[in-house]
Amino acid sequence: MPLTAVRSYDTKIDVKKRITLRSSKYEYYHVEEFEDGRIVLEPRELVAPFEIQAETLSMMDSAVENLKKGIVSEPVDLTEFEA
């Protein structure tokens, strides 16, 4: 089932090669330009980058300290995963 346009209007590229989007719901868009001149804009919402929790960082620090002290487990046999 084809999508129906919610709004349709004409715009013009200004001297700096920009177009104006009227009453845009989003601040950021992903742009795809095609050889036939079509331009597709998909809305994007930027989010904070993935952050490691403080507890996880603490566990990693503890593991590195144990490694430096020589407190380690027996080696893990991974030969079954070899190709």
Side-chain angles (χ1 to χ4, degrees):
M1 182 159 98
L3 296 175
T4 305
V6 175
R7 227 174 11 174
S8 178
Y9 59 90
D10 294 325
T11 187
K12 172 185 160 181
I13 295 178
D14 67 11
V15 295
K16 292 186 177 182
K17 304 289 185 192
R18 301 175 297 192
I19 63 170
T20 301
L21 300 177
R22 300 177 192 156
S23 303
S24 176
K25 292 182 181 181
Y26 298 90
E27 186 175 355
Y28 297 98
Y29 289 87
H30 174 73
V31 179
E32 289 182 302
E33 295 185 33
F34 296 90
E35 290 181 5
D36 64 357
R38 288 181 302 131
I39 298 174
V40 176
L41 302 175
E42 293 179 354
R44 292 288 192 253
E45 291 189 29
L46 301 183
V47 295
F50 174 75
E51 295 181 15
I52 298 176
Q53 295 179 353
E55 183 178 332
T56 304
L57 287 174
S58 174
M59 290 171 56
M60 291 170 63
D61 290 340
S62 174
V64 170
E65 285 179 26
N66 287 339
L67 178 64
K68 288 179 180 178
K69 292 177 186 175
I71 304 171
V72 296
S73 65
E74 294 297 317
V76 177
D77 182 17
L78 300 176
T79 55
E80 68 181 85
F81 300 108
E82 292 179 355

